[in-house]
Amino acid sequence: AAQLGHRTAGVDLAPEMVGLAREKAAARGLSAEFLEGDVESLQIEAARFDVVMERHVLWTLPAPVEALRGWRRVLRAGGEVLLIEGKWGERSQKDEYEEIKGKLPLYGGSDAEAVVGAVREAGFGEVRVEPLMEGVLWGGEAGCERYRVRGRRG
């Protein structure tokens, strides 16, 4: 987004990832803000952004609907949430998640219908799904779904 000239901000819980993002942006001569924080409880002022975008983050969250409500709060009226998600199931699950996977309602990804439901439950309107690619084109097995969900803050 920064390469396209948009003002951007990124959030990550890990200070190391925030530092890495800053280094990458600086190396490319890009202006972007990076914040250390929890995406489930953003400490960012309300109505700050036009778009909140994520890629494969919802499945890592114990309270995805609450996170979406927070993302809605930081959007301006008419702003959009843009979620790049998928359902990849057992094939990519890692041992390090074994202890916590029961606390992650979308662990292993989710079908688009479940994500759409969460987006609507969080208060977004005009929710729509756009398929991205056939799973086999991602190097995955058939049935590996990838999609984008968009919702608008009223």
Side-chain angles (χ1 to χ4, degrees):
Q3 281 183 297
L4 296 173
H6 299 284
R7 287 185 310 157
T8 61
V11 178
D12 201 294
L13 189 59
E16 298 84 8
M17 295 306 290
V18 171
L20 184 59
R22 286 181 179 140
E23 288 173 17
K24 285 182 172 184
R28 292 180 173 95
L30 299 173
S31 175
E33 179 182 8
F34 296 100
L35 308 167
E36 185 180 330
D38 184 348
V39 297
E40 282 190 292
S41 58
L42 290 174
Q43 302 300 307
I44 295 173
E45 66 272 11
R48 179 172 175 197
F49 299 108
D50 294 317
V51 176
V52 170
M53 180 173 55
E54 65 83 66
R55 180 178 176 267
H56 304 302
V57 171
L58 280 186
W59 77 269
T60 70
L61 305 177
V65 173
E66 289 306 309
L68 285 161
R69 285 185 180 125
W71 301 352
R72 185 178 180 279
R73 182 187 65 78
V74 302
L75 283 170
R76 294 182 179 110
E80 282 194 328
V81 65
L82 177 60
L83 312 173
I84 299 167
E85 287 294 332
K87 181 172 184 166
W88 42 89
E90 296 291 326
R91 70 179 187 83
S92 63
Q93 295 181 5
K94 306 218 183 305
D95 291 340
E96 57 263 27
Y97 287 100
E98 195 60 40
E99 270 185 54
I100 63 168
K101 73 180 185 181
K103 297 177 183 176
L104 305 175
L106 301 178
Y107 180 75
S110 187
D111 59 36
E113 186 176 301
V115 174
V116 165
V119 171
R120 286 190 174 129
E121 186 178 341
F124 287 93
E126 299 179 41
V127 181
R128 60 193 183 279
V129 177
E130 301 160 343
L132 293 177
M133 293 180 142
E134 293 293 325
V136 293
L137 298 176
W138 285 71
E141 53 215 47
C144 183
E145 181 182 8
R146 298 287 196 268
Y147 53 86
R148 176 173 50 210
V149 174
R150 298 173 80 134
R152 187 171 302 277
R153 180 176 193 251

